[in-house]
Amino acid sequence: SMPTPMAATPAAAAALAEKNELGSSSGSDSCGGGSSPELPGHRSEDDEESSLLAEGPNDTDCTLARLRGLARGLHLEARALQDEAQAAEFAARTTLAFFGEHAPPGAALATLQTFLCQVASFALDFHAAVRWVRAREARRAKRASLAPGALSPLKRLQRKNDRRPQARANAECQEPAEPSS
């Protein structure tokens, strides 16, 4: 059997232990019928159908006792679920605070979900942009490698800058031409 989510927090485990303790001491055995270990006084549908047909005025007390036990068990389960929801809300608020985000009271889980959807969308957009840039660079590299003697724009700029100082140096080193007479 799968573990129940109620046992996830210490408060939920305590509520579950209290519920099981109530189930064993509630006296549901004196009313007859099989009781479930999960909820005190709870019986299967077949047991309930047969007991409803056989109930008389004296069985009303037993039925009320089973209903009270069921109500107690449901209240304990609701309390445990509420504790878990509060713990999840706290964890969501802590996660949002890490990213500098704030949420209105009682809405941290919804705000975290919205935030994580935005992060996921950004990640997908960023991935698409990276793929586009890589494909464009690959096309440029392919074109540059196919053209004989073709230089990349960076190489052209480097060669142009390399020639300029030489031209200046050559112009400065030349002796002025003597006027012809």
Side-chain angles (χ1 to χ4, degrees), residues 61-107:
D61 293 336
C62 286
T63 303
L64 288 174
R66 285 193 302 262
L67 286 174
R68 284 187 190 110
L70 181 61
R72 273 193 303 271
L74 291 175
H75 283 291
L76 290 171
E77 190 171 337
R79 188 181 320 145
L81 290 174
Q82 188 176 20
D83 289 346
E84 262 193 67
Q86 287 174 347
E89 186 81 11
F90 178 77
R93 194 168 299 286
T94 303
T95 303
L96 288 168
F98 178 80
F99 292 104
E101 298 289 322
H102 301 284

Side-chain angles (χ1 to χ4, degrees), residues 133-152:
V133 168
R134 285 181 178 165
R136 186 168 182 200
E137 288 299 314
R139 285 192 303 269
R140 274 188 179 170
K142 186 176 181 181
R143 268 189 270 136
S145 68
L146 292 178
L151 295 174
S152 70

Side-chain angles (χ1 to χ4, degrees), residues 32-179:
S35 64
S36 167
E38 287 186 35
L39 297 175
H42 179 64
R43 301 185 321 183
S44 70
E45 288 182 31
D46 293 337
D47 289 344
E48 291 202 18
E49 284 179 22
S50 63
S51 69
L52 286 175
L53 294 175
E55 277 188 17
N58 294 338
D59 292 334
T60 305
D61 293 336
C62 286
T63 303
L64 288 174
R66 285 193 302 262
L67 286 174
R68 284 187 190 110
L70 181 61
R72 273 193 303 271
L74 291 175
H75 283 291
L76 290 171
E77 190 171 337
R79 188 181 320 145
L81 290 174
Q82 188 176 20
D83 289 346
E84 262 193 67
Q86 287 174 347
E89 186 81 11
F90 178 77
R93 194 168 299 286
T94 303
T95 303
L96 288 168
F98 178 80
F99 292 104
E101 298 289 322
H102 301 284
L109 289 170
T111 304
L112 180 62
Q113 181 181 9
T114 302
F115 177 72
L116 291 177
C117 287
Q118 290 171 348
V119 168
S121 176
F122 171 77
L124 291 174
D125 291 345
F126 188 78
H127 179 67
V130 167
R131 278 195 346 242
W132 183 82
V133 168
R134 285 181 178 165
R136 186 168 182 200
E137 288 299 314
R139 285 192 303 269
R140 274 188 179 170
K142 186 176 181 181
R143 268 189 270 136
S145 68
L146 292 178
L151 295 174
S152 70
L154 182 61
K155 290 282 186 189
R156 270 185 268 158
L157 184 62
Q158 286 174 342
R159 280 192 179 178
K160 186 177 179 181
N161 288 338
D162 288 344
R163 286 187 206 139
R164 283 185 184 163
Q166 288 174 347
R168 271 192 234 126
N170 289 340
E172 292 172 359
C173 292
Q174 287 180 354
E175 296 179 1
E178 292 184 21

Side-chain angles (χ1 to χ4, degrees), residues 19-45:
K19 183 173 70 171
N20 286 338
E21 186 178 301
L22 282 175
S24 64
S25 65
S26 67
S28 60
D29 292 337
S30 65
C31 289
S35 64
S36 167
E38 287 186 35
L39 297 175
H42 179 64
R43 301 185 321 183
S44 70
E45 288 182 31

